Amino acid sequence: MISVNVSTASQNALETIRQNLVTFADHYPNDTTTSNVYALRRAQNGFGEGANYGWTTSFWPGVLWLAYDLTGEDTYLCAAQEHIQSFIQRIEGKIDLDTHDIGFLYTLSCVVPWRITANIQAKHAALKAAEQLMTRYIDKIGVFQAWGKLDNPELRGNTIIDSLMNMPMLYWASEITGESRFAQAAHRHTTRVAENIIRPNNTTYHSFYWDVETGVPLRGSTVQGFADDSCWARGQAWAIYGFTLNYRYTSDESFLDAAQRCADYFLDHLPADHVPYWDLVFTDGSAEERDSSAAAIAVCGLIELVHYLSEGDRQRRYQTAAEAILSSLVANYTPRNLSESNALLLHSVYDKPKAIGVDEGSLWGDYYYMEALTRTLKPDWKVYW
């Protein structure tokens, strides 16, 4: 049974999205709000204001596709489709694509419209994006390099926990083309991540390095967490959802096991209101900020994970936890009205060590919050990833 607060929350979110359509249309907001308000993406490095650059821009059309799925309203459909051309231009020009986040960018911007509307241009752009992502695959170590040029000595052989969410586009590419190389690379990458990024205590490193000449695992570290040996909350949430999605495509039981181990640790280290601090090393009584975006990602991952488990205590635990986390987000982490914020979800943290987007709304937080609402309101919703 759908709780009234989730139904009301979806209506509030849709009202905000309608207002943001006026503000942003086919342009893009900044990664995070400033004082709880999104502005047009700042002009920098030769990009104009509101331009399509960075790793988060697809979350805006992603929200629009979710709004269309929830309502069936053409307003959202047309608005979402307006973004396809920008992403076609981006992949054809290879604009700001030295990143594994191509999967985030093109799953929501192009794979989704292909699935929903059979848009041929979107399909071709997504396949080009899959090919571009494959250029980042280092066969010697079996992983996709996360950031930067492949010959960058500081970044060679590095991947991060977020990378798991970029693999679904490769499984899709194999399905569409019949070429197994995409799926094989994704499977091997996820295996390497599971073997090295998850610690014995079921916490995760944010980042991990391999020697690209020998394939030997070197070291784990953090970039946005509190410390190299702590557990960055959003990374642990990516692990829950990412390993589950990779299991969905491969039926590899080791991925399902990894997702459950990461989920158990995450849930065991939540504060009383079910929304984590930005690093799971912090507990109630801490003066540190929460990361609502990590909570929203975890809800989506837990709901997906429940589908693959037989009835029992663990399945019930994950279902109950997803409901409790989402209820807390609705009650305590959303704006009271549009005058307070044009974000769907408040109190996320982008990068606390660098003081970027701390206690602000974030595009990915908005997207996963909207996905969590959609999953709850439409249990038969077809997963985008």
Side-chain angles (χ1 to χ4, degrees):
M1 183 176 179
I2 298 168
S3 64
V4 174
N5 68 333
V6 171
S7 181
T8 301
S10 70
Q11 294 305 312
N12 293 339
L14 288 167
E15 181 182 357
T16 299
I17 294 166
R18 283 191 290 270
Q19 291 299 314
N20 285 341
L21 272 174
V22 177
T23 305
F24 302 113
D26 60 351
H27 289 75
Y28 301 92
N30 284 323
D31 296 331
T32 68
T33 61
T34 300
S35 299
N36 292 328
V37 177
Y38 287 114
L40 278 169
R41 208 164 191 79
R42 64 182 59 87
Q44 61 178 11
N45 301 326
F47 294 104
E49 189 177 51
N52 186 355
Y53 68 88
W55 73 277
T56 68
T57 48
S58 65
F59 292 117
W60 171 225
V63 163
L64 297 174
W65 284 112
L66 289 170
Y68 173 65
D69 271 355
L70 265 181
T71 66
E73 293 180 15
D74 285 344
T75 297
Y76 299 118
L77 173 62
C78 294
Q81 289 176 317
E82 284 294 313
H83 290 274
I84 296 171
Q85 191 59 42
S86 175
F87 282 89
I88 291 173
Q89 292 169 352
R90 185 168 175 178
I91 190 61
E92 289 182 346
K94 297 186 178 179
I95 299 167
D96 193 28
L97 293 178
D98 289 324
T99 171
H100 68 133
D101 291 320
I102 297 167
F104 276 122
L105 290 167
Y106 281 86
T107 297
L108 294 178
S109 68
C110 291
V111 175
V112 171
W114 160 248
R115 284 176 169 159
I116 294 176
T117 69
N119 185 300
I120 295 294
Q121 287 185 307
K123 171 189 171 183
H124 291 323
L127 289 174
K128 287 181 181 178
E131 292 285 5
Q132 181 69 19
L133 182 53
M134 287 294 290
T135 68
R136 305 191 64 76
Y137 184 67
I138 304 173
D139 187 68
K140 185 74 173 181
I141 57 178
V143 301
F144 290 86
Q145 183 168 307
W147 299 309
K149 300 286 187 182
L150 295 177
D151 59 357
N152 183 324
E154 295 182 1
L155 296 174
R156 275 175 63 80
N158 163 259
T159 199
I160 60 174
I161 193 67
D162 320 34
S163 64
L164 297 172
M165 295 297 299
N166 292 302
M167 298 301 103
M169 183 179 71
L170 297 177
Y171 296 117
W172 169 83
S174 277
E175 291 176 359
I176 291 296
T177 64
E179 296 182 30
S180 61
R181 60 191 175 93
F182 299 103
Q184 288 173 347
H187 191 181
R188 188 175 176 213
H189 172 90
T190 304
T191 300
R192 296 288 270 166
V193 169
E195 291 170 346
N196 293 278
I197 280 188
I198 304 178
R199 304 183 185 101
N201 67 351
N202 298 326
T203 62
T204 52
Y205 290 112
H206 180 183
S207 176
F208 200 89
Y209 286 84
W210 285 262
D211 185 314
V212 297
E213 302 303 328
T214 66
V216 172
L218 295 176
R219 67 189 183 280
S221 62
T222 196
V223 179
Q224 296 173 349
F226 176 70
D228 287 346
D229 61 353
S230 70
C231 188
W232 179 49
R234 193 159 76 249
Q236 196 77 1
W238 289 134
I240 298 167
Y241 201 1
F243 282 122
T244 303
L245 289 171
N246 278 272
Y247 171 75
R248 175 173 178 255
Y249 284 100
T250 65
S251 299
D252 186 326
E253 291 290 334
S254 69
F255 299 164
L256 187 63
D257 176 68
Q260 292 173 84
R261 288 159 52 203
C262 292
D264 288 340
Y265 188 92
F266 185 89
L267 297 180
D268 286 343
H269 291 79
L270 290 180
D273 78 344
H274 308 289
V275 174
Y277 291 88
W278 65 276
D279 194 294
L280 297 179
V281 72
F282 302 116
T283 59
D284 278 326
S286 164
E288 297 293 327
E289 293 83 7
R290 308 302 182 96
D291 185 2
S292 61
S293 73
I297 295 162
V299 170
C300 297
L302 290 167
I303 294 173
E304 183 70 14
L305 183 53
V306 163
H307 294 319
Y308 307 111
L309 301 178
S310 56
E311 290 187 14
D313 291 344
R314 181 168 264 176
Q315 187 198 56
R316 286 190 292 273
R317 184 192 192 199
Y318 295 161
Q319 184 63 49
T320 300
E323 292 169 359
I325 297 168
L326 182 55
S327 292
S328 185
L329 290 176
V330 168
N332 305 309
Y333 291 82
T334 55
R336 288 166 295 184
N337 51 58
L338 281 166
S339 64
E340 180 182 6
S341 177
N342 61 352
L344 305 187
L345 192 64
L346 301 175
H347 307 304
S348 87
V349 172
Y350 186 176
D351 189 336
K352 178 67 183 286
K354 299 182 188 66
I356 299 171
V358 177
D359 196 27
E360 295 285 355
S362 64
L363 290 183
W364 59 91
D366 284 3
Y367 170 82
Y368 287 101
Y369 173 66
M370 191 67 178
E371 182 182 312
L373 294 175
T374 303
R375 282 177 171 274
T376 303
L377 292 164
K378 294 185 66 174
D380 60 346
W381 177 73
K382 292 183 179 180
V383 179
Y384 289 170
W385 304 98

